[in-house]
Amino acid sequence: MALVLAVALPAAYAIVRNLNRTVRSMFNVFLLGLAVPAQAVIVPIYLIITRLQMYDTLLAIVLPTAAFSLPIAIVVLTSTLRDIPNELYEAMTVDGATAARVFGRLVLPLSRPGLVSVGIFVGLGAWNGFLFPLVLTQSDEQRVLTLGLWNFQSQFGTNVPGLMAAVVLSALPVLALYLFGRRHLLSGLAAGFGK
């Protein structure tokens, strides 16, 4: 989640503030990334991960998960940054602020609702991810929560009480994340409706 937010916000800022055709065409590439499901490219991802000798590591799960979360994060953050009035950018530029200062003092605080919304969405996707951990890891040391829950299922039945207890325990961190970011999530989802 942190990796996606650290890459998506500067990319969205560059897309919104730059009038260069190359940057605009990169935005179209990110839009194209929304059309490619992970299931369609799992075999090439597996081959790349094994050739990079990252198979059965947590990095093998983190990198593809972040890559498939980037397009939606950039689209949401781009629309969030487009809602910031140009007058604010111009005022800071007239005051002598550099692009980095504008980013840190203006863009970062005003994009907080969008960041929280994207963070919760990406966090839930990563938390519930099943395909990448299933295909790109095999040892018990690298097993993530979704694969651990899957282990409650056996050939002849399912340990239902154990599975339900594990599901409740696995939902607690996500519930805490939601409660922490609830106010920003609602304001981020409602952004643009008051105009």
Side-chain angles (χ1 to χ4, degrees):
M1 182 172 65
L3 179 63
V4 170
L5 292 178
V7 172
L9 186 61
Y13 176 64
I15 290 167
V16 169
R17 297 301 300 160
N18 202 330
L19 301 176
N20 190 350
R21 284 183 85 129
T22 307
V23 174
R24 299 287 177 166
S25 63
M26 287 306 295
F27 182 64
N28 292 333
V29 170
F30 282 115
L31 287 177
L32 185 62
L34 290 172
V36 179
Q39 295 86 352
V41 292
I42 192 65
V43 172
I45 289 173
Y46 173 79
L47 293 174
I48 290 170
I49 292 295
T50 54
R51 287 190 181 145
L52 292 174
Q53 298 178 352
M54 291 192 309
Y55 184 76
D56 203 24
T57 64
L58 291 179
L59 196 59
I61 301 170
V62 170
L63 293 179
T65 302
F68 278 93
S69 299
L70 269 176
I72 189 69
I74 289 175
V75 168
V76 170
L77 290 175
T78 299
S79 65
T80 300
L81 295 183
R82 284 190 177 138
D83 289 342
I84 299 174
N86 269 342
E87 290 81 14
L88 293 176
Y89 291 113
E90 292 168 1
M92 287 196 74
T93 305
V94 167
D95 287 343
T98 62
R101 188 167 177 86
V102 170
F103 181 78
R105 296 288 180 151
L106 176 69
V107 172
L108 199 56
L110 291 180
S111 64
R112 187 176 299 143
L115 283 172
V116 171
S117 299
V118 167
I120 289 175
F121 181 76
V122 169
L124 283 174
W127 189 261
N128 292 325
F130 186 76
L131 180 65
F132 292 136
L134 179 66
V135 174
L136 301 176
T137 62
Q138 72 180 29
S139 66
D140 288 339
E141 293 81 24
Q142 304 303 327
R143 179 159 295 153
V144 295
L145 184 67
T146 51
L147 289 179
L149 292 174
W150 191 45
N151 281 340
F152 279 94
Q153 179 179 335
S154 67
Q155 182 180 359
F156 300 108
T158 302
N159 180 359
V160 175
L163 179 62
M164 291 299 116
V167 166
V168 169
L169 288 176
S170 70
L172 290 178
V174 174
L175 180 63
L177 178 67
Y178 169 74
L179 291 175
F180 173 73
R182 174 178 49 159
R183 180 174 49 103
H184 295 292
L185 175 67
L186 293 177
S187 64
L189 291 175
F193 291 123
K195 294 182 180 179

